[in-house]
Amino acid sequence: MNPNATAARQRISPWPVVRTLARFTVIESLRSRLFWLLGLILLVAFGAAMLAESVSLSESLASRLLVFGTLLRLGGVSLLTVLVVTSLAREAADRQLDFLLAGPCPRWAYALGKASGFALLAAGLAGAAGGLAWLLAIDAGGQVAAWAASLAVELLVVVALAMMVTLNFGQPAAALLALALIYGFARAAPAVVDMARYSVDMQHSLANQAQWWSAQALSWLVPPLDRLANADLLTGAAADPMTLLSACATTLAYAALYLLVALVDFSRRSLS
Amino acid sequence: MMSFMAAWRKRLRAWRKPSWLARDEFPYSRIAPAVRFSLAGLFLALLLARAMLPDPSRDAQNLPPPPSYETLDVAAGGERATMARLTALRLQSYDAQSGKYLKIASLHTPNLIAWLERSARLDPSRHYPYMLAAMVYDHGDAQRSRALARFVTDGFVAHPDVRWQYLAQIAVRIRHAHRDPGTAREIAAILRRHAPASAPSWVRQLEIFYLEDMGELEAARQLAIGIIESGVITDPAELNYLTKNLLERIERKQRQDR
């Protein structure tokens, strides 16, 4: 490596790069019609929620909120996933990445800058969803703030996960498929572990134990998303605050883990 | 020996990934130690935390009510047969929850029936939920058995071909384990009316035995005569048993009663 270049990198602080990258990530997403897409998702969720309310015979308010919360959660996750994957893949394909890294930008600063930009978007999405949910749930006494905060945490881990698979695979199709599988498993992991506990023809055998252990081990690789941002928080179902808090903390730790994995993979990649 | 090991070591060191597998990558040693160590540390800490701390949402809870049929139908996205099977499998996992076993008899009966009904309604052509009802969940009190009998009866009337065996099993259990010949006789009557030709003839004769048990000898006699005269039974040995053994025994009891 050129000693002058190394010296130059060390002299220049990378933090402005992180800030600029975060800013441009947000601007790029806004220019890819984020508001329109978000508006569309909110509109569809709102319409479906109103439909559910109008056809419910009882507890119609709960039906409205449950449908709204579930659809917004799914819509937010899908929207953010596609944004992250396409943004990272496009930068790599356009060789913008090579251009950036040729300057005084360490790889960790690139990863952190992109992650911060997407995290801001995640917070914005969760805020918008929470605002509309608050309007809808105004007379249900639901814990809208808790729901929106846990939705933000879920969106954050989705950002980290999307960065991990995209920086590793490089191909958008492979990344999206992997994301769908991992996210789906994270939502269903406890049920899968329960089902793996018991198998008919090999009860209490080593094979059954191995089956259960492997399901359990796989479930430890994903955050406990089944306990996060559940729509029944909106309906005022009493959620244990400690459970929610511990789920949020665990999920944030997983987000950090995925980002570190992404950084390691990204740092090892040779762009030449 | 040493030279053999050394040769292998040399060969291993010289090994390269085949070109289609290799990616142009820097070695791990290039990664900053802070990143490497925090990754390893965080990963281990998370694994330990997940393994040590109990999962608060997974306390052994008694069987909750299932999702509504409409919810399952929408979630199935057209794959109703798969959803029916998954619903049944999900139900089965409730008596074997993570580390904590619930006794099958302690499961909440109305919810249990609701789970079975969801599965059966999602895929009416399968016998799995009826098999579960008769062979797995028919434990506990008479009320559970009677509720399961009602569920299996509905399925049996719709598809008698295979399901007669499940209903017969519940009838026998209600008669002998719960000593409730009245309900057992009602089930046996349904079995007699709807049992398919492929079912063994004792299925159609079960009602006679239960009537005899209950002391309703005349009804049992009439039923036995009816079955003999209907010509359903063609096996001479069986006919002989019905007339000589069963019918004569009932008539003997009737004479003694008088």
Side-chain angles (χ1 to χ4, degrees):
Chain A
M1 201 177 277
N2 182 353
N4 290 337
T6 316
R9 270 166 198 248
Q10 279 164 357
R11 267 201 309 278
I12 298 172
S13 164
W15 292 107
V17 179
V18 174
R19 261 203 311 277
T20 313
L21 266 168
R23 211 175 111 227
F24 277 97
T25 305
V26 174
I27 292 176
E28 179 203 1
S29 306
L30 295 184
R31 286 196 181 145
S32 54
R33 312 233 161 125
L34 178 71
F35 280 127
W36 285 105
L37 290 173
L38 182 62
L40 191 68
I41 289 175
L42 288 177
L43 198 70
V44 169
F46 184 75
M50 286 305 169
L51 177 70
E53 183 182 12
S54 67
V55 295
S56 297
L57 293 178
S58 78
E59 298 185 331
S60 50
L61 183 61
S63 309
R64 180 218 288 179
L65 292 172
L66 286 174
V67 170
F68 182 74
T70 308
L71 283 181
L72 265 194
R73 182 183 182 188
L74 205 61
V77 167
S78 328
L79 180 62
L80 206 57
T81 306
V82 176
L83 276 181
V84 175
V85 171
T86 50
S87 166
L88 289 177
R90 196 175 49 76
E91 262 170 25
D94 290 356
R95 296 276 162 187
Q96 284 183 37
L97 187 59
D98 305 33
F99 185 68
L100 254 170
L101 294 179
C105 172
R107 295 193 180 200
W108 65 263
Y110 174 78
L112 190 63
K114 293 301 276 189
S116 327
F118 291 129
L120 282 175
L121 283 175
L125 278 179
L132 196 52
W134 182 74
L135 286 181
L136 283 182
I138 206 155
D139 39 359
Q143 297 150 306
V144 179
W147 178 77
S150 58
L151 180 66
V153 170
E154 172 161 330
L155 292 177
L156 213 59
V157 83
V158 165
V159 164
L161 204 55
M163 285 190 65
M164 182 179 85
V165 292
T166 317
L167 288 178
N168 191 7
F169 296 159
Q171 302 296 327
L176 285 173
L177 185 65
L179 271 170
L181 286 176
I182 299 172
Y183 182 77
F185 179 67
R187 293 277 295 265
V192 174
V193 172
D194 274 357
M195 284 158 82
R197 180 79 181 83
Y198 175 82
S199 74
V200 179
D201 53 347
M202 41 186 196
Q203 264 186 69
H204 311 300
S205 72
L206 201 63
N208 192 22
Q209 284 289 318
Q211 172 182 305
W212 185 50
W213 284 334
S214 29
Q216 189 100 61
L218 276 180
S219 78
W220 290 339
L221 296 181
V222 292
L225 292 188
D226 62 304
R227 275 185 267 149
L228 225 58
N230 283 323
D232 56 358
L233 276 176
L234 291 176
T235 62
D240 178 20
M242 277 318 289
T243 308
L244 193 62
L245 214 60
S246 82
C248 282
T250 318
T251 308
L252 284 177
Y254 273 98
L257 179 78
Y258 295 148
L259 277 180
L260 279 172
V261 174
L263 183 60
V264 166
D265 273 337
F266 184 49
S267 305
R268 288 189 66 209
R269 202 197 310 164
S270 165
L271 295 166
S272 55
Chain B
M1 188 64 193
M2 282 305 289
S3 65
F4 176 74
M5 298 265 287
W8 263 105
R9 217 170 292 152
K10 201 172 160 191
R11 207 175 292 175
L12 266 178
R13 228 172 279 155
W15 188 77
R16 292 273 176 276
K17 279 181 187 170
S19 60
W20 55 268
L21 197 65
R23 292 211 307 192
D24 208 0
E25 279 178 335
F26 298 120
Y28 278 108
S29 54
R30 211 191 109 123
I31 316 276
V35 173
R36 265 188 290 164
F37 288 128
S38 48
L39 172 59
L42 185 58
F43 184 53
L44 285 179
L46 265 174
L47 283 191
L48 268 179
R50 292 296 294 273
M52 305 294 240
L53 298 175
D55 195 340
S57 63
R58 315 307 297 174
D59 287 342
Q61 46 180 337
N62 205 333
L63 190 61
S68 72
Y69 170 76
E70 287 72 17
T71 310
L72 291 171
D73 192 16
V74 171
E79 296 282 2
R80 283 201 194 84
T82 310
M83 187 53 90
R85 194 51 64 98
L86 282 177
T87 309
L89 291 180
R90 185 76 192 102
L91 166 64
Q92 276 172 263
S93 71
Y94 272 100
D95 50 285
Q97 287 186 56
S98 40
K100 296 170 184 153
Y101 285 86
L102 287 171
K103 287 206 169 62
I104 284 180
S106 75
L107 294 174
H108 186 244
T109 301
N111 287 350
L112 169 71
I113 302 288
W115 276 91
L116 291 170
E117 273 171 357
R118 295 287 187 284
S119 180
R121 196 175 154 198
L122 279 164
D123 187 2
S125 66
R126 299 276 158 195
H127 312 305
Y128 195 78
Y130 303 100
M131 187 278 297
L132 280 182
M135 312 251 190
V136 178
Y137 290 109
D138 191 9
H139 279 273
D141 55 4
Q143 183 231 342
R144 159 80 61 89
S145 291
R146 279 194 283 270
L148 286 172
R150 277 192 293 277
F151 166 67
V152 178
T153 301
D154 291 344
F156 163 74
V157 172
H159 287 270
D161 285 351
V162 179
R163 295 177 189 165
W164 61 263
Q165 48 183 315
Y166 307 133
L167 192 57
Q169 184 163 342
I170 294 186
V172 170
R173 194 173 145 77
I174 287 179
R175 164 65 191 86
H176 294 283
H178 303 311
R179 313 213 166 278
D180 179 2
T183 312
R185 197 233 120 187
E186 283 167 26
I187 301 172
I190 296 168
L191 273 169
R192 174 178 57 77
R193 280 198 295 274
H194 298 278
S198 59
S201 44
W202 62 260
V203 176
R204 278 176 291 269
Q205 294 158 22
L206 212 51
E207 193 186 355
I208 307 176
F209 299 112
Y210 291 162
L211 281 171
E212 188 190 351
D213 263 359
M214 293 163 70
E216 300 203 11
L217 297 173
E218 184 52 29
R221 197 179 74 89
Q222 293 295 337
L223 191 58
I225 293 171
I227 287 178
I228 293 167
E229 285 179 350
S230 70
V232 186
I233 294 162
T234 48
D235 185 55
E238 207 173 325
L239 269 177
N240 193 35
Y241 167 79
L242 270 182
T243 43
K244 288 270 183 302
N245 246 337
L246 187 68
L247 209 54
E248 282 179 13
R249 186 176 74 211
I250 293 173
E251 283 165 356
R252 199 163 51 243
K253 274 190 189 169
Q254 279 181 313
R255 280 197 297 278
Q256 282 169 3
D257 283 355
R258 279 189 214 117

